[in-house]
Amino acid sequence: MTVHASLSAGDRLEQSDAGRQFDDLKALCAGMPPLPTAVIHPCDETSLRSATDGAREGLIEPVLVGPRAAIESVAGQLGIDISALRIVDAGTTRAAAAKGIELAANGEVGAVMKGALHTDELMGAVLKREGGLRTSKRVSHVFVMRVATYPKPLLITDGVVNITPTLEDKAHIAQNAIDLACALGIEQPRVAVLSAVETVNPKIASTIDAAALCKMADRGQIRGGIIDGPLAFDNAISAEAARTKGIASQVAGQPDILLVPDLASGNMLVKQLSFLANGEVAGIILGTSMPVILTSRADSLQSRLSSCALAVLLANRAGANA
């Protein structure tokens, strides 16, 4: 089944109740083959179960990259059956990251997934000038969230990779997120460019960037979405708040994507929605030559499986557009 056929499930993603994110994302993957995925250093329970459960759900075909003895020891202690999985022996976390990226660069796998190693070790291998997964695009990260108080999926970017993005960076970040939203079956995704206020203020750089991004979209420099900003969080999310402030916008009150000013604000926003609003979260690295599933040690198993589903959708969309 092609990616375009599977996107008929997009309405289900739009209308589902909070608490069903994994089911919704898995439904979008119906008919897609498992994605060969290098799982880097899966030497703890969560990362190893992510690999085996992802295989059982038909999402990924894991290749375990790391110290064979440690992987087999963890599997034995926890009763996890890895007998059918390929193991590529690599003695250290850095060696595992390098080997996993090598498998990706050679076309042996179609995605990479972080296991029990530090993010900078994996991303250092991903972003190598020679033999890494760089493209002409800016690398960024998107969280896909479901929150009970919001009626549809909410993509938040970038709270992981770009610390203080420039205007040029933000244009790439916006385009990456729009492309992911389209892979989720969201037509003409609405992008709210966030700041502290909804008016352009020369003293607040993020408002200047927001205004420029809107004009870039008008000129076709960012394609496929509807962009508005600056918007404060309240009038971005709430149509009533936007009306109260006299904001006429195609985005305010109904965004699909929140583009944050910097990493700190994005990271805090996601964690607030996760821990105070019980939001479900999945995440993926974009702008690389193939999906990179970058999970946190605090992520639940279901969150990791949802992230695997995002990788499958992206890989199949890329294949359909090749």
Side-chain angles (χ1 to χ4, degrees), residues 37-43 47 63-68 70-71 87-105 109 111-126 128 131 133:
T37 301
V39 185
I40 311 299
H41 206 264
C43 295
S47 56
V63 177
L64 309 180
V65 185
R68 177 183 292 272
I71 294 169
I87 300 177
V88 176
D89 195 23
T92 66
T93 52
R94 292 190 182 278
K99 189 62 180 178
I101 299 306
E102 181 183 326
L103 295 175
V109 296
V112 174
M113 183 175 182
K114 177 177 175 283
L117 75 166
H118 291 296
T119 296
D120 60 351
E121 293 178 305
L122 176 59
M123 292 306 295
V126 168
K128 280 175 53 179
L133 304 181

Side-chain angles (χ1 to χ4, degrees), residues 167-176 178-179 211-225 227:
L167 172 61
E168 182 180 6
D169 294 336
K170 289 178 181 179
H172 284 277
I173 290 167
Q175 189 66 65
N176 287 346
I178 289 168
D179 292 344
L213 289 168
C214 293
K215 185 53 65 177
M216 291 172 78
D218 289 346
R219 296 290 186 264
Q221 293 172 267
I222 304 171
R223 299 177 182 275
I227 301 181

